[in-house]
Amino acid sequence: MGISKTELFTKKQNELANIARVLGHPARIAILQHLVKINACICNDLVAELGLAQPTISQHLKELKQVGLIQGSIDGTSVCYCIDPKVWEKYKKLFGEFFVEIKAIDKSGCGPDCC
Amino acid sequence: MGISKTELFTKKQNELANIARVLGHPARIAILQHLVKINACICNDLVAELGLAQPTISQHLKELKQVGLIQGSIDGTSVCYCIDPKVWEKYKKLFGEFFVEIKAIDKSGCGPDCC
DNA sequence: CTGTTTAATCGTAATATTGCAATGAAACGA
DNA sequence: TCGTTTCATTGCAATATTACGATTAAACAG
């Protein structure tokens, strides 16, 4: 990301940006959508499913785990992953709050061609 | 981002990831929140507001413009920025669709300690 | 025309991300 | 015990991001 001046922003802004950053890769979107669709723990058929190498998938899973969106539990030699519904709801709410309704624009103080 | 294998994913997955990526920086979150709050076109008091250098703000604005979230219109020597409500609603919907309700987890096929 | 203001662009240094081959580590079956 | 399976970790190359100083471009005031 290059260095990022997190100290300039509020905790909530940094948190939202961080979640968005994690969602900012199609592989991680695809992993989450697959986990939602399967609606169960899955072990790593994700590698076959997505077409990325195993270490790459593992790395993406790690990032998803770090923000709490998914949990992994060991089941023999394999690992089951599933979405943490609580965290999922939390972030759903966070994005919902961010995308507030946009009201009509007040053009006072702007030029005639403004927006 | 390093190279990213966009061809492995659907158009919608790539689109959502791209928007999320753009939202994945606190400065851009702060810019959007300010524009929403002001509810009008603003010229670049953003530089004073955020505490980042002018070229840096300009770069962030460029990214927000590229995904269509904001528009800029020239007003003399300054530029007015405001949110594009249509695009805003579009992305709001996109995230809403992504964050579907999570149902109770079906543990069949998983080990006893699974998730 | 000259100087000022505002914002985009260029160039660059520092840092982060992505993807994967190679390697480890842990659990299992025979 | 030994080989196998599954996944995490390490190390690295290629690329992207972030931030900003310097510069440029455009509109304006005088």
Side-chain angles (χ1 to χ4, degrees):
Chain A
M1 207 202 284
I3 197 168
S4 173
K5 300 199 153 183
T6 56
E7 75 277 7
L8 290 178
F9 309 101
T10 68
K11 197 177 164 185
K12 208 157 190 179
Q13 285 170 335
N14 281 312
E15 189 185 8
L16 182 56
N18 192 45
I19 304 306
R21 187 186 56 76
V22 170
L23 295 180
H25 193 288
R28 294 194 285 264
I29 294 286
I31 288 172
L32 289 172
Q33 286 180 332
H34 191 69
L35 289 177
V36 168
K37 185 180 160 197
I38 294 297
N39 188 32
C41 306
I42 75 151
C43 314
N44 269 23
D45 51 12
L46 280 171
V47 176
E49 189 74 21
L50 297 196
L52 286 167
Q54 180 265 320
T56 307
I57 298 288
S58 200
Q59 210 169 5
H60 285 306
L61 289 168
K62 194 179 175 184
E63 288 222 60
L64 291 169
K65 244 188 293 183
Q66 260 163 5
V67 295
L69 271 172
I70 65 173
Q71 293 175 326
S73 57
I74 297 167
D75 177 25
T77 57
S78 53
V79 177
C80 283
Y81 284 103
C82 57
I83 289 177
D84 185 329
K86 265 190 184 169
V87 179
W88 183 264
E89 283 304 312
K90 179 184 164 192
Y91 293 152
K92 177 185 184 159
K93 198 177 158 193
L94 207 60
F95 275 96
E97 283 169 7
F98 174 73
F99 278 109
V100 293
E101 218 64 45
I102 297 294
K103 286 152 283 182
I105 294 168
D106 174 15
K107 294 204 177 188
S108 60
C110 291
D113 297 331
C114 180
C115 299
Chain B
M1 206 200 284
I3 198 168
S4 175
K5 300 199 151 183
T6 55
E7 75 277 8
L8 291 177
F9 309 101
T10 68
K11 197 176 165 187
K12 207 156 190 180
Q13 286 171 334
N14 281 313
E15 189 185 9
L16 183 55
N18 191 46
I19 304 307
R21 187 186 57 75
V22 170
L23 295 180
H25 193 287
R28 294 193 286 264
I29 294 286
I31 288 172
L32 290 171
Q33 287 181 332
H34 191 68
L35 288 177
V36 167
K37 185 180 160 198
I38 294 297
N39 188 33
C41 306
I42 75 150
C43 315
N44 267 24
D45 50 12
L46 280 170
V47 175
E49 189 74 21
L50 296 196
L52 287 167
Q54 180 265 320
T56 307
I57 299 288
S58 200
Q59 212 169 6
H60 285 307
L61 289 169
K62 193 179 175 185
E63 288 223 59
L64 290 169
K65 244 188 294 184
Q66 260 163 6
V67 296
L69 270 171
I70 65 174
Q71 293 176 325
S73 57
I74 298 167
D75 177 25
T77 57
S78 53
V79 177
C80 283
Y81 285 102
C82 57
I83 289 177
D84 185 328
K86 265 191 184 169
V87 178
W88 183 265
E89 282 305 312
K90 179 183 165 193
Y91 293 153
K92 176 184 184 160
K93 197 177 160 195
L94 207 60
F95 276 97
E97 283 170 7
F98 173 73
F99 278 109
V100 293
E101 219 63 45
I102 296 294
K103 286 153 282 183
I105 293 167
D106 174 15
K107 295 204 178 189
S108 60
C110 291
D113 297 330
C114 180
C115 300

